[in-house]
Amino acid sequence: MNGGTVREFLTGGDSLRGLASGNKIEMHGGEVGKHVYAGYSDRGGASANELVIDGGTIAGNAFGSFIADNSTRNTEGSKISFGGTADVQFLTGAYSAKGDAAGNEVTVSGGTVHKNILGGDSGSGESRGNTVRVTGGTIGTQEQSGSVYGGYSTSGNTVLFSGGSIGAGEGLYGGYTDQGDARGNTVLISGGTPGSEVYGGFVWTGAGNATGNTVILEGAPDLGGTTLYGGGTAGGSGDVRTGNT
């Protein structure tokens, strides 16, 4: 897509019960009125899809792969490359409502993400082995807050942040979960402005543990307004200390 307007959805592959896999969308300009999906499945699977976005405006969100809540399939191996002058609300490597989100990658080198970046997102499964790389661009705006999550659910994700900026009041999370465990995640910061808070692993509430996480600092990032945590919780009772570095 180099120009023009899509009023609603731009989708590479759309499946009701089968697989939506191996699809690719390149967007260099134009406007999309709602969401962009490289691969979308309602009751089947969606994996190994790719988005390349370096221009244009997406009024909604962009997903490498998306599996709706009628399926328990995992989503794996999707990629997003985002930069240039592109503009989007949320950016998610892959989402599965009931399955795992594993081994997905998001790279951001420029453009504007108004809200959040997620390497992998699972509604009730695990989010593991996902990677987010940020070398430039803007996450969050004056009107909207934005954060970076390697994985939104449970374990073993990586955020590599070497440039760009995250708005005040937001930050970086290697792994983030509402109630489960956030374990074995890594955040590496070597440049840029990473926002107000950095957590290797974060548990919102409940008895889940945020353990075995690592935050690594290199180079000369702007940490003047940043607080660092290996593990943390907003109101839970789990372990947020053991094995965090």
Side-chain angles (χ1 to χ4, degrees):
M1 182 173 180
N2 294 313
T5 299
V6 175
R7 292 181 182 270
E8 296 196 351
F9 303 101
L10 178 63
T11 306
D14 188 338
S15 171
L16 178 61
R17 293 183 175 85
L19 294 175
S21 298
N23 304 288
K24 183 177 181 179
I25 291 177
E26 293 188 16
M27 182 175 178
H28 307 295
E31 299 180 5
V32 176
K34 292 187 178 179
H35 307 313
V36 173
Y37 306 94
Y40 179 101
S41 183
D42 184 67
R43 302 178 186 179
S47 292
N49 298 292
E50 184 176 1
L51 285 179
V52 177
I53 305 171
D54 59 18
T57 299
I58 301 167
N61 310 322
F63 300 86
S65 293
F66 187 100
I67 300 177
D69 58 7
N70 292 314
S71 173
T72 59
R73 297 286 294 270
N74 298 340
T75 179
E76 301 175 345
S78 291
K79 297 180 180 181
I80 296 179
S81 176
F82 183 92
T85 59
D87 189 283
V88 71
Q89 297 297 309
F90 279 82
L91 197 62
T92 303
Y95 170 83
S96 178
K98 296 179 179 178
D100 297 345
N104 304 287
E105 298 181 13
V106 177
T107 300
V108 177
S109 59
T112 299
V113 181
H114 289 261
K115 296 181 181 178
N116 298 334
I117 299 171
L118 301 94
D121 184 8
S122 173
S124 58
E126 287 195 351
S127 182
R128 50 189 167 79
N130 303 290
T131 301
V132 176
R133 297 180 178 88
V134 181
T135 62
T138 300
I139 301 101
T141 62
Q142 290 183 347
E143 297 79 17
Q144 297 169 315
S145 59
S147 295
V148 176
Y149 304 88
Y152 196 106
S153 186
T154 54
S155 63
N157 305 284
T158 302
V159 174
L160 306 174
F161 191 89
S162 62
S165 63
I166 297 176
E170 303 298 330
L172 296 178
Y173 302 84
Y176 184 108
T177 180
D178 288 331
Q179 296 188 17
D181 293 335
R183 60 187 185 275
N185 303 286
T186 300
V187 177
L188 170 61
I189 303 171
S190 59
T193 304
S196 299
E197 299 176 332
V198 174
Y199 289 90
F202 186 86
V203 177
W204 177 250
T205 187
N209 303 313
T211 57
N213 303 290
T214 303
V215 177
I216 302 170
L217 302 179
E218 295 180 351
D222 180 4
L223 301 175
T226 304
T227 305
L228 305 175
Y229 303 89
T233 182
S237 58
D239 182 359
V240 297
R241 294 180 179 274
T242 300
N244 294 311
T245 304

